[in-house]
Amino acid sequence: MYNPNWNMYADSAPGQRENKPYGMYKYNADSFDSMTEFHLDAASASATGGHVIIYSGFTPDAIDNRIGNAIKKHVGLRGGVAISKRNDLLQVNVAANRDINYRLVELGFITNANDMKNIKNNVESYCKALADAITGGASEVKSTTSKAPAPVKKPTSKPKATKKSNSVIANEVITGKWGTGATRKSKLEKAGYNYNTIQNLVNQKLLGKSAPKKKSTATIVNEVLAGKWGNGQDRFNRLRKAGYDPNVIQREVNKRY
């Protein structure tokens, strides 16, 4: 869990300074299976409901859909939509650029009396539903009421194997263990993996040493200023696809003005 005394957004905005990672740049796809950030929204008193925000170029995975169902059950959906695709949010873009299986979850509006009533009156149920959505199974939430502990039952079957890292799964995909095409996508999402994240890793691994040598940041900045990389989101996508960090490049471009 990210230190609650820190600000993930503010820490991510400067990117990587002096080769020291900050915010979202502290992590990579091999650090964990997925990342989920929770927010409470604020707007007019009439705004209500929650939703799950993912990168615009990605397809919702099993975790995204399960969280959406939990939100719908406890506070309702913002505009009736469970999954929102965005490409104009810093955290979402940085996570996509780093191939991190990430989603930003808006739990409801603190400015809406009914949302807050539902959250406060059902906080344990809501938290458990969110935990189950992320883990894909039953989770325990400590009750505020005093109850005798339930007797411990011996497991009747072997415990589930620890989920493999995205990098390991990508290696298995390369060897053909996950099939191809629609079959591969179905198997990966059923197993709780983000298909786009795995496919991006596969592509990177297949390129390997045959990939062309990257140009220096200074060279890319000069090319951007010369108009060779387009503008706006098109530039962002082209830079990211070529293996460059669009946020780093943009900061260097801004320094030239």
Side-chain angles (χ1 to χ4, degrees), residues 1-3 6-17 19-28 31-32 35 37 90-92 94-95 98 100 102 245 251:
M1 184 176 73
Y2 200 69
N3 191 324
W6 300 346
N7 184 319
M8 172 74 86
Y9 177 86
D11 294 343
S12 298
Q16 185 162 318
R17 299 168 292 180
N19 296 319
K20 295 180 181 179
Y22 292 79
M24 189 72 79
Y25 290 91
K26 291 174 67 68
Y27 309 104
N28 56 55
S31 300
F32 37 70
M35 177 185 288
E37 185 172 353
L90 175 67
Q91 301 291 73
V92 174
V94 174
R98 298 179 64 77
I100 295 174
Y102 166 91
D245 188 328
R251 283 197 302 276

Side-chain angles (χ1 to χ4, degrees), residues 6 10 18 61 90 108 119 139 144 162 171 173-174 201 222 226-227:
W6 300 346
E18 300 174 357
D61 63 12
L90 175 67
I119 292 172
S139 61
T144 56
T162 303
N171 289 334
V173 167
I174 292 173
L201 281 173
N222 289 333

Side-chain angles (χ1 to χ4, degrees), residues 110-123:
I110 60 174
T111 47
N112 183 280
N114 193 53
D115 277 12
M116 289 309 299
K117 179 181 178 181
N118 288 333
I119 292 172
K120 290 180 178 178
N121 291 346
N122 302 283
V123 63

Side-chain angles (χ1 to χ4, degrees), residues 44-116:
S44 66
S46 61
T48 181
H51 60 147
V52 181
I53 300 174
I54 64 174
Y55 182 67
S56 60
F58 292 165
T59 299
D61 63 12
I63 296 177
D64 300 323
N65 292 325
R66 289 195 296 261
I67 292 178
N69 289 333
I71 294 173
K72 180 179 180 180
K73 177 181 178 181
H74 289 84
V75 296
L77 299 175
R78 180 179 179 181
V81 177
I83 310 295
S84 300
K85 296 186 176 184
R86 302 278 293 274
N87 61 11
D88 58 346
L89 297 176
L90 175 67
Q91 301 291 73
V92 174
N93 287 346
V94 174
N97 186 46
R98 298 179 64 77
D99 291 318
I100 295 174
N101 183 351
Y102 166 91
R103 77 271 309 145
L104 172 61
V105 180
E106 300 286 2
L107 298 171
F109 281 86
I110 60 174
T111 47
N112 183 280
N114 193 53
D115 277 12
M116 289 309 299

